[in-house]
Each structure stands twice: as structure tokens, then as C-alpha cells.
Amino acid sequence: MTTSTASQSSASAPLLDLQALVVAVRRRRRLWASLALLGLLAGAAVAVLLPPRPAAVTKVLVAHKDDQPNDTGTLIRTDVELLDTTRIAAAALRSLDSREDPEDFMQDYRGTGLTNNLLQIDVTGDSDADAVARAKALAETFVADHVRRMREAAEAESESLLDQRDRMRKELAEVNKSIGDRSPDDEPDASASIESLFARRAELDSRIAEFDQRAAEALTGTPEVVAGTKIVDAPHAVRHSLPRAVGTDAGIGLALGLVLGLALAAVGAVVADRPVLRREIAANLGASVLAELRRGPRRSARSWQGRRTRAARERLTTTLARIVRGSAEPVSLLELGCARGTGLIALDVAGALEADGPVVVVDALPGTDLAGARRKSGGPTVLSGERAAAEPHHVRRLGVGSVAPGTAWTDLHYLGSRTVLVVRAGHGSAAWLHTVARQLADQRIAVIGVVLIDPDPRDRTDGTLWDGPHLAPRGHDDRPRRHNGTGRFRVERPPMPATTVPDSDQEAR
């Protein structure tokens, strides 16, 4: 039993073929390589043409009265925000005798909390000396402001405790007065009230002593905070290395350009939907891939260089010549994206067929001059479509045309009722390949196979269609075929379905 390849491919085709996407992106290496190189050059140019301003850095150790081992950095973040205020900026500018606007000065420095108690200040200036002076003024201003705030907080707390102590003393005086107004001859029932007054006096004495101790501790802790807040790293200029900056910026530009190029290549490949794998091209055209040929450089008409390329070209010529000899109808070569290469292939095939008799190449390629190429290199006769009609019937003909957009489909039948499609991988979209297959079927032109130009060297997919019915709609009929150029007739056998191996013993039975 056989299964239709079209139904299998449509049922199992993934939404996004990652293999085809990777191949398409790799084939667009000029795009992402150019963007990566552009990013590299742009990053290096930015480092050279836009060097950073002179900068200085200093570190300040900030002590807090409420420091806790489990602090999450709230206090140092508060110090960073306090540093970025107009009050600190204005005080630093006054120490520098500068008339610069504090808001503008705030744009030239930045505070960073390294730990819970370590603050780093980065400052930029017009020169290294100016940056160092600004960093020193800013650090000293911040230290003075922090010490002042800590002292004010301690004094405020001490005054609050002393105020409470004074209120307790006034109440104690009233209690003592009440106790003094009682005489020993008072009634026995008043003894309970006297005991409560004595208890209250004792409580007030204890609380007054407590407030005195707390007020003293509030003032005692301030010197520790003052001594602990200081500049631990003197302001110094930040050295700028131009080679390092060029290397860093160039690397960043290279990475960004490469990512952008790969993203554009991937999006373009998905949007364009241009098949590059053998299996995709064969499935869209409904014909098997007969051979592959690397695309040669454009700088020379004789672009087939290299031993492997010449060997592949010879094998392709032998294969196509054998196909033309065995065909009962005229055969044509129809190109898609490789007109010049198809013309050279046609001349090679015609040269191989000259040993069997006269051969005429019917040139219908747009924008090429096969006759001029033949005059330069020598070879078979090349005629246009009008002149080829006058040639005798015993002369073998090999048509060369195009199925690119804008093709006159009705004229393709005069080039040959059987054709070999020469397609450049990644040139036509999937929709256009379907259009080519449908138009050739409408013109009853049988597609013998596909020659793939410029394939992906890492493509390991199978471009062979194993079920024969795909060849039948491409112009197959049952009338006798006249052999090309011989006047003899023969009946061609219809393509037979491929034999399949049963998957199980039950299927075999």
C-alpha cells in the first residue's frame, strides 16, 4: 500500500520548522554578519569619538545609631537619596565657590550603597582635578550633614527625655507635699491612702532615675556615630583606558548587531516563507530532486570552478542528456532564480547530445544571450523561439525558459511538453512554487524532476517523492509519444507506485 506524500506532509507539518528556520538564517549570513560588523565598528567609533568625561570616586563609611545586623539596606538607601538632594548639592557648591545650579550639579554625581554602611560617590567634571575637588567637597558635605543630623536627633531625644523627667519631678513634689500634710494622729482608715502615696513616690523616683540615664545614653551614643562617619577612600580620578574602552564597546556593539541581525534574518525567513530544504522544494513542486549544483561566483561566465564542482557539473550533464535521449517528447529546462546558470547547463547538455545528431537550443530566457555565449566558447546552435519554428523536425530541440514571475505560461508548451525545473534554493516562495506546479499542470507539461542550484551544504533531507501519482497531474496523458527528432512513436508507461514493506506480520498477511 502507498500513502500520499501530500496528505502526510500536510498532516504532520509543524507550525514552525526549526530545521528550515536554522538553514534559512544560516543562508542569510551576509545580513547578520554585516550587522554584526556594523555594530563592532559603531561600538569602536563611539569609544573613540565619544570618550567618557573625567571622573573621580570616593567612599564614605556611614555610621547609624540604629544599625542592626539584619538590616536589608534601608538606612544606606536613605543616605543615597539624601545625597541626591539640592540641599547637599548646594552646600557642596558653596564650599567650591561655584555658581552652578544645584539641579545641574546633581546630574554629575551618583551615590551607590555598596554595603549597609559603605557609600560610594561617583562624580564627573571638566577635568580630573575638577572631578576630584567636586568629589571631596561632596563627601565632606555629606559627612558634615550626616553628623549634624545625628547630633540633632540625639539632642532632640535627650531633651524629650529630660522634659519627661521634669514632669515626673513636679509630680513627685506634689506627692511629697501630700505626704507631709498628713499628721501621725490621723484616723487609722487613712493609713491605706498614705501607703499608696509612698508607693507612688517610690515609682516616681525610679522613673526619674531611668529618664536621667536614658538622656545621658542618648548623648553618649552621638560621639560614636560622629567618629564612625568618615571618608575611608580619598577622592581620586578614575583612569580611562582607551584600548579597553574600545574593546568593551566594540564587543557590546558586535553582540547587539549579531542579535539584531539574527532576529531580522529569522523574522524575514518566516515572513518570506522561501523553501530551502530539498524535501520542501520537492513537496511544493511535486517532483523529485534529480541533482544539486553549487552556485558559482558571478564575476565570470565560466563560474564552475573547483574539481568537485566540475565533477558535479559533468554528472548533471550526463544525467540530463540521458533524460533527453530517453524522452519521447521535447524536453525543456525552466529556471527559477538562476537564468545564467541554466543557460550554461543547457549548452553543456546540448554539447553532449551533438554526438547523436544535430541539436538546437531554443533560447527563451529573459535577459540572457546564449547565442553570444556560444560564439565565445563554441557549441551547439542557439536560436530564438521564432527562428526555431523553421527548423526541420528531425533536429533535436532543447528549450530553455523561465518560470519566474511574469512568465507567459502558454508559451512554455512550445519549448517542450516535458521539463526539468532548475531552481535556486531559497529564491521562490512556497506560494510561487505551488503556482509553478499548478500552471505547468494546466499547460499539460510533465515535470521530470528538479535540479537544485546553490543548496545548503548541511542539508540532509530527502528530496525524493516515492509515490508516483505526483507525476501524473503534471501533463501526463495516454496518447502515443513521438520520439524527439527521430519520427518514431512509442508509448510511455505510466509511473508506478513505489513498493512498500509491510510494517507488521498482520499487514503482510
Side-chain angles (χ1 to χ4, degrees):
M1 57 179 291
T2 59
T3 304
S4 175
T5 304
S7 62
Q8 290 179 356
S9 61
S10 62
S12 61
L15 181 62
L16 181 62
D17 192 345
L18 294 180
Q19 182 183 7
L21 180 61
V22 170
V23 172
V25 171
R26 186 167 62 240
R27 290 177 65 87
R28 296 191 176 191
R29 54 185 174 272
R30 290 185 179 179
L31 172 62
W32 49 263
S34 300
L35 289 178
L37 179 60
L38 181 61
L40 176 68
L41 297 178
V46 168
V48 174
L49 300 179
L50 299 176
R53 295 182 61 189
V57 63
T58 183
K59 295 179 182 178
V60 178
L61 180 63
V62 184
H64 303 94
K65 183 180 178 181
D66 300 328
D67 275 338
Q68 297 294 333
N70 57 352
D71 182 33
T72 58
T74 304
L75 298 176
I76 198 66
R77 286 198 297 269
T78 302
D79 294 331
V80 171
E81 296 300 327
L82 288 174
L83 178 66
D84 192 17
T85 57
T86 55
R87 180 166 59 88
I88 300 295
L93 290 175
R94 283 195 299 269
S95 65
L96 293 171
D97 295 331
S98 175
R99 296 183 179 180
E100 185 179 357
D101 187 19
E103 295 182 354
D104 296 337
F105 180 48
M106 290 168 56
Q107 305 298 325
D108 295 338
Y109 68 85
R110 181 183 71 257
T112 306
L114 301 180
T115 64
N116 291 344
N117 298 99
L118 191 60
L119 175 65
Q120 177 176 306
I121 303 176
D122 298 281
V123 188
T124 58
D126 297 334
S127 62
D128 290 341
D130 181 57
V132 170
R134 286 185 165 198
K136 181 179 180 181
L138 196 59
E140 292 177 349
T141 301
F142 176 78
V143 169
D145 181 79
H146 181 76
V147 169
R148 180 182 57 80
R149 287 188 290 105
M150 293 296 102
R151 284 178 175 174
E152 291 178 354
E155 292 175 358
E157 183 180 359
S158 178
E159 290 179 0
S160 175
L161 294 173
L162 292 177
D163 290 341
Q164 295 185 35
R165 182 203 62 181
D166 294 340
R167 287 196 299 270
M168 294 295 176
R169 284 182 176 179
K170 291 180 181 180
E171 185 178 354
L172 178 61
E174 294 177 357
V175 171
N176 289 333
K177 183 179 178 182
S178 300
I179 293 174
D181 292 341
R182 300 296 180 96
S183 63
D185 298 334
D186 288 342
E187 299 178 358
D189 297 339
S191 60
S193 176
I194 294 175
E195 291 179 1
S196 65
L197 290 176
F198 278 107
R200 177 61 178 168
R201 184 174 64 178
E203 180 184 358
L204 290 175
D205 287 337
S206 176
R207 296 188 64 181
I208 289 172
E210 180 184 356
F211 281 124
D212 285 336
Q213 182 180 0
R214 290 174 60 185
E217 290 177 354
L219 294 176
T220 302
T222 304
E224 296 179 0
V225 175
V226 172
T229 302
K230 57 186 176 181
I231 300 175
V232 294
D233 189 6
H236 58 276
V238 178
R239 300 302 176 188
H240 174 67
S241 175
L242 182 60
R244 179 180 298 177
V246 170
T248 302
D249 293 353
I252 294 174
L254 175 65
L256 293 178
L258 181 60
V259 171
L260 179 60
L262 291 175
L264 290 178
V267 172
V270 173
V271 173
D273 190 19
R274 299 179 183 274
V276 293
L277 299 178
R278 286 193 296 264
R279 67 183 181 196
E280 293 181 337
I281 295 175
N284 288 316
L285 289 175
S288 300
V289 175
L290 301 177
E292 292 181 346
L293 204 59
R294 295 179 61 86
R295 189 184 181 192
R298 298 182 178 181
R299 61 179 178 268
S300 173
R302 297 182 178 275
S303 58
W304 315 96
Q305 304 294 332
R307 182 178 303 175
R308 293 184 179 179
T309 303
R310 288 194 299 268
R313 187 183 181 187
E314 293 175 358
R315 290 194 300 268
L316 174 61
T317 302
T318 302
T319 300
L320 294 180
R322 183 168 56 248
I323 290 175
V324 173
R325 289 191 186 99
S327 175
E329 293 290 329
V331 178
S332 63
L333 300 180
L334 301 180
E335 65 85 23
L336 180 60
C338 48
R340 182 179 57 86
T342 304
L344 296 177
I345 293 174
L347 293 178
D348 291 342
V349 173
L353 294 174
E354 282 186 325
D356 301 336
V359 180
V360 173
V361 177
V362 181
D363 181 16
L365 289 173
T368 60
D369 186 10
L370 292 184
R374 190 203 66 80
R375 285 193 297 269
K376 294 179 181 178
S377 60
T381 304
V382 179
L383 301 175
S384 60
E386 296 81 1
R387 298 177 57 187
E391 290 294 319
H393 293 288
H394 67 277
V395 177
R396 190 189 301 272
R397 299 182 184 182
L398 179 63
V400 186
S402 175
V403 289
T407 298
W409 301 103
T410 56
D411 294 342
L412 297 180
H413 189 76
Y414 297 99
L415 297 177
S417 58
R418 298 168 65 85
T419 185
V420 174
L421 295 176
V422 184
V423 181
R424 181 161 66 93
H427 178 75
S429 63
W432 184 251
L433 295 181
H434 281 288
T435 300
V436 170
R438 185 179 65 256
Q439 292 291 343
L440 292 178
D442 293 342
Q443 298 299 321
R444 302 186 67 80
I445 299 177
V447 179
I448 302 174
V450 178
V451 175
L452 195 58
I453 304 297
D454 191 22
D456 185 76
R458 300 181 183 179
D459 184 8
R460 298 297 182 266
T461 61
D462 189 6
T464 301
L465 299 179
W466 296 100
D467 47 350
H470 280 279
L471 295 178
R474 304 294 182 251
H476 171 73
D477 54 19
D478 296 332
R479 62 185 175 86
R481 308 293 187 182
R482 184 175 62 85
H483 192 275
N484 184 10
T486 62
R488 294 175 298 171
F489 293 90
R490 74 177 186 181
V491 178
E492 294 188 356
R493 298 178 60 186
M496 300 297 294
T499 304
T500 58
V501 179
D503 296 333
S504 62
D505 296 338
Q506 182 178 1
E507 184 177 353
R509 290 193 297 269

